Structures are given as C-alpha cells and as structure tokens.
Amino acid sequence: MTEHAPLIIDVAGTGLSDTDRRRLAHPLVGGIILFARNWQDRAQLLQLTAAIKAVRHDLLICVDHEGGRVQRFRTDGFTHVPPMRALGELWMNDGKAGQGSGALRAMDAATAAGYVLGAELRACGVDFSFTPVLDLDWGESGVIGDRAFARDPRVVAMLARALMQGLLQAGMANCGKHFPGHGFVKADSHTEIPIDRRSLKAILAEDAAPYPWLSTVLTSVMPAHVIYPKIDARPAGFSAKWLQDILRGRLRFDGAIFSDDLSMEGARRLDGQVVSYTDAGVAALNAGCDLVLLCNQSLEGGAGVDELIAGLATAQAQGRWQASAASEARRLALLPETLPQPWDDLMVQPAYMHALDLLP
C-alpha cells in the first residue's frame, strides 16, 4: 500500500498527552496545526515542537501566522507583524520621493515581514505557516478584510512574491489562499457557505490572477470554502474541476493542495447536505487535495479526530480513496531543508535587525 499521510490534526493543550502521541503516530497523520491555546511562552513552544518531532520526525508542524489579527503567538518576544493591508497601503503611498518609490519600499517591507515571521517561527520549531493571503480586498468580506494586500491582483502578486522571498530566506515554504478567491463574497465560510455567482472568465481575470503569476514560487495552495455555481455546484475545495482541471491543468500548479478546515460549516455541506468528517475528507482527497485539515476537534476528548482517522482508514481499505505517492512527496517537500537559527542568535543577527526596521 502506498504511504500517504494526508491528515493535519491538532492537540488540545500546551503539551502532548499519550492520546496525542497515539494520534500523531498514526500513518495517516502527516502533520499538526497549532493554535493560541497551544502557546504559553517560547520555551514551552520549543518543548512542544520537539515532543512532536520525537513522535515522528517527518510530521509537518503548521500554524496560521499571517500577521495582523491572524497571529497565534504574540508575546515573549514574538514580533507583531502588521496586517498585509499595511503593505498594500505602503505601496500606494509614494510620498515626496517620486512615482514608484512606495511600491519598492512596500516590496522590501514585505520581504522583511516574511523573513521575521518565518525566522521567529522556525526558531521555535514550527515548520510552516499558512500564508500569504492572495484574496483581493473588494471591501466586502469581513473574514478577509485587512488580511488582503490590496484590491489590484498585480499588487497582491508582487507583494506576495516579496513576502515569499522572505519566508524562503528563513527556510520556510508558503501557502497561497484561498483559491480561486474569497474576497468578493460577504459570507464567512466558518459559519455558512459563501456563493460567488461570477463567471469563470471574471474570476480568472481578477481573483485567481495571482496564482499563475506566482507559479514558479508558490509551494502550496489552500482552496476556498466558496461555491462558484457557474463553474461547479461544490465548494472549490471539493471540486475536481477547480483543483484538477483549472488549478493543476490550466494554471499548471504542481505544489501541495490543502483542504481548509473540515470542521467549518462551509467544509461539510456537500450537495445540500451536511456530511461526516470522513465523507468530507474523502471528498476533498478525491477532488484533488493532497492534505486535509481538521481543526479544534481535539478538545473535550477529541472524538472528531478519532472518527476521522478511523473513518479515513476504513474508507481507504474499502477503496473509497487511494493513497498517492505524489501527494506524499508534496507534503514532504514542505518540510524545511535547513536547520533553524536559535532564538538568541537570531535576535542579534544583522539581517533580522534590519528586517525589523523595515516593517511598517
């Protein structure tokens, strides 16, 4: 049987229980996503990440750490990275220096933000952050809001590329989200299913435009829990048309595809019905996702996590989904290839100190 560890799960506390270790050791589990509840201070986080790697060295330790309001670790020395909109505003503010200088300053600041973000996380044993947001700031979506760089897809692509360069300097991969775009719709997919009724031509010309422009640097993508009924009746994360025909085929993306959180309302309502975590996971994998996330279900005993692990194993044995060597290779490619810099060394590194000075 082909090895493929598609599940990204979480844990309830600041350390690992025996149950956590059992779940993380399961061959279908490929990583863990951390939240603010898993944070106490840097020493504790370093102990937690070391304990995770002691279970399996190839587990991908992830976090949603974008800057602005989506930043899980905020104390004990972690830099408060500005929201991405601040970089877009810097782009538009040329001041007295002449046309174009604002854009160049913004790109330098974006690279600095990526480096600071990535280097601080890696110094604490975190491998990967789900960033940057490539959604356009249409002024409609409350859940996206200032997480977006700008309204113009060209500005978004350039600033995202600069931020990815900073992540790369820190030895960290990247994740463009939420394909093909979440910024046009008002509804929050955490609690309902947003519907975007535009045509494929309109979406590719605007919201999805950064994806092919970033094809040489984008290492992973997270699709939106949004339905685009003129393209497919299913949300993008469960749509083979979006993930295989358009993202992989038309746009030629060859990196990893993550599902968004399967516990979200928008993630489990398929064809008009709310389905189980297992059925949602199978649907995402069959649509073209390499990895699936289940967040915040380790709380109160973690029945949902155990249900998904057991259910996915049974579904695999029944032939309802097939393990993919290519998907596993894409997961492993997201792991850092270099050793992280210890925190105390990082704090006095000239490149890091310079990057701090460049943040808006």
Side-chain angles (χ1 to χ4, degrees):
M1 185 179 292
T2 303
E3 288 189 8
H4 178 191
L7 295 182
I8 308 293
I9 62 172
D10 63 3
V11 297
T14 54
L16 294 186
S17 67
D18 289 342
T19 300
D20 293 328
R21 290 185 175 88
R22 172 180 56 79
R23 290 170 181 155
L24 290 171
H26 194 282
L28 289 180
V29 174
I32 182 171
I33 180 169
L34 301 177
F35 291 93
R37 69 170 183 272
N38 305 124
W39 161 262
Q40 178 179 319
D41 53 39
R42 284 188 289 106
Q44 168 270 325
L45 180 59
L46 200 56
Q47 287 182 339
L48 175 60
T49 54
I52 293 165
K53 292 292 187 178
V55 175
R56 267 196 15 232
H57 68 89
D58 71 322
L59 288 170
L60 182 69
I61 302 177
C62 313
V63 68
D64 267 328
H65 201 86
E66 303 167 5
R69 57 194 163 98
V70 182
Q71 180 170 333
R72 305 307 184 203
F73 315 136
R74 296 172 174 269
T75 55
D76 198 16
F78 265 92
T79 300
H80 289 206
V81 178
M84 297 301 99
R85 179 185 285 168
L87 297 169
E89 291 172 344
L90 184 59
W91 177 292
M92 300 305 296
N93 181 16
D94 275 341
K96 298 179 180 179
Q99 188 173 6
S101 64
L104 296 173
R105 290 198 309 274
M107 289 180 66
D108 212 17
T111 298
Y115 180 69
V116 168
L117 186 157
E120 290 183 355
L121 287 175
R122 290 211 57 211
C124 292
V126 178
D127 298 321
F128 180 81
S129 176
F130 292 104
T131 188
V133 168
L134 300 182
D135 300 316
L136 305 188
D137 185 7
W138 289 91
E140 295 291 326
S141 174
V143 72
I144 301 301
D146 66 1
R147 297 166 65 192
F149 288 104
R151 161 67 183 84
D152 189 327
R154 298 168 298 179
V155 176
V156 170
M158 293 302 289
L159 289 176
R161 180 180 289 271
L163 185 121
M164 290 173 185
Q165 177 64 33
L167 291 172
L168 181 64
Q169 288 173 357
M172 184 174 283
N174 60 70
C175 182
K177 60 186 188 183
H178 306 83
F179 176 81
H182 198 310
F184 190 78
V185 289
K186 290 183 179 180
D188 181 353
S189 55
H190 290 83
T191 55
E192 52 189 318
I193 301 184
I195 298 176
D196 187 335
R197 302 188 184 279
R198 291 176 298 165
S199 68
L200 176 62
K201 181 179 180 181
I203 294 168
L204 291 179
E206 292 271 10
D207 296 65
Y211 289 87
W213 292 340
L214 296 169
S215 64
T216 58
V217 292
L218 199 57
T219 49
S220 70
V221 163
M222 179 179 286
H225 283 328
V226 175
I227 295 175
Y228 309 85
K230 292 189 177 178
I231 294 87
D232 197 338
R234 287 191 163 190
F238 300 99
S239 166
K241 184 161 188 180
W242 272 117
L243 300 185
Q244 297 184 43
D245 297 349
I246 298 173
L247 182 58
R248 294 240 187 260
R250 185 164 177 171
L251 304 184
R252 301 177 66 184
F253 175 69
D254 64 357
I257 301 176
F258 288 88
S259 82
D260 207 340
D261 176 14
L262 295 182
S263 70
M264 292 162 59
E265 173 70 15
R268 288 186 296 119
R269 188 175 290 277
L270 295 179
D271 306 323
Q273 294 185 333
V274 176
V275 302
S276 69
Y277 295 136
T278 297
D279 288 343
V282 168
L285 291 167
N286 286 335
C289 288
D290 303 295
L291 298 147
V292 293
L293 277 81
L294 183 66
C295 302
N296 299 313
Q297 298 307 304
S298 63
L299 304 172
E300 299 179 0
V305 181
D306 291 329
E307 173 195 324
L308 179 57
I309 293 173
L312 206 61
T314 299
Q316 184 182 22
Q318 294 171 342
R320 292 174 56 200
W321 72 278
Q322 292 186 337
S324 165
S327 290
E328 182 66 2
R330 294 184 188 112
R331 181 187 75 85
L332 295 173
L334 298 175
L335 289 163
E337 297 180 353
T338 59
L339 291 173
Q341 195 160 16
W343 186 277
D344 290 345
D345 292 348
L346 180 66
M347 292 300 104
V348 295
Q349 183 197 51
Y352 171 81
M353 296 168 70
H354 178 57
L356 289 179
D357 291 339
L358 293 174
L359 296 179

